[in-house]
Amino acid sequence: MELFNAIFARRSIRKYQNKALEAEKLTKILEAAMAAPTARNKQPWRFITVQSEEGKNRIMAAHPYSLMLKTAPCAVIVCADKTEATDFFQQDCAAAIQNMLLSATDLGLGSVWLGVYPNAERTNGVCKAFNLPENIIPVGIVVLGYADEAKGRENRFDAAKIHKENW
């Protein structure tokens, strides 16, 4: 798939087929995540892959908008290691998440980004559910799987939001 096709085809998928995610596809998605730009090349991202029912249930208990995990085969909790992070860990992890979403689309998968940080309730819930050490901050969760819904391209371009040279 061409880059622009993946960008415009990517949509937030919340309904998934009960079909396993191939290990090779998950590895490619994680490789794409780690190819993201990162401030001062700190690469603070850390990933927890979750495919067990027990693990998905822990996410659903900690995050109110994660119920699609009842059918989705996989979630990846994207975290930042504070010992490796700069003040830009949120941007670093967001870039990794965007690469994950686009690569999932390119591989024929559906995905959705669930925000965690800086919401204290979600952050604390994920930390507790997955026994995260003090230096690890959960930033977001990417749900992956084969879509069980089709969404068309959405045109969000708005020329009124573009300013030239000055505001």
Side-chain angles (χ1 to χ4, degrees):
M1 182 180 287
E2 286 184 36
L3 175 62
F4 282 99
N5 289 340
I7 290 170
F8 294 119
R10 191 226 55 86
R11 298 294 308 277
S12 293
I13 300 297
R14 292 178 178 84
K15 294 180 184 175
Y16 293 88
Q17 299 173 29
N18 188 9
K19 181 179 175 184
L21 177 62
E22 298 88 346
E24 303 80 34
K25 288 187 177 185
L26 180 56
T27 298
K28 278 185 173 265
I29 290 166
L30 292 168
E31 287 175 354
M34 293 184 215
T38 169
R40 295 179 38 217
N41 198 29
K42 287 293 188 178
Q43 303 175 40
W45 44 64
R46 303 294 183 268
F47 305 92
I48 303 170
T49 61
V50 180
Q51 294 179 294
S52 70
E53 291 305 314
E54 186 267 333
K56 292 189 295 181
N57 285 334
R58 284 189 281 154
I59 292 173
M60 287 187 281
H63 196 296
Y65 301 105
S66 62
L67 295 180
M68 74 286 297
L69 283 169
K70 288 180 180 178
T71 55
C74 183
V76 179
I77 304 170
V78 180
C79 303
D81 183 339
K82 290 193 282 188
T83 61
E84 296 291 329
T86 66
D87 291 341
F88 300 104
F89 73 87
Q90 288 177 277
Q91 292 91 326
D92 291 348
C93 288
I97 290 170
Q98 181 70 2
N99 277 11
M100 293 173 73
L101 300 172
L102 292 174
S103 62
T105 301
D106 189 59
L107 292 169
L109 299 170
S111 63
V112 64
W113 177 349
L114 305 177
V116 177
Y117 185 87
N119 181 289
E121 186 177 330
R122 293 179 201 170
T123 301
N124 293 334
V126 172
C127 284
K128 200 176 257 187
F130 289 88
N131 301 310
L132 301 184
E134 288 262 331
N135 60 305
I136 301 297
I137 303 168
V139 175
I141 300 169
V142 177
V143 177
L144 299 164
Y146 288 91
D148 199 20
E149 65 179 329
K151 293 184 175 182
R153 177 181 170 164
E154 189 174 294
N155 185 355
R156 297 179 182 174
F157 181 79
D158 182 353
K161 294 182 179 183
I162 301 169
H163 304 272
K164 295 181 181 175
E165 304 296 335
N166 292 298
W167 192 259

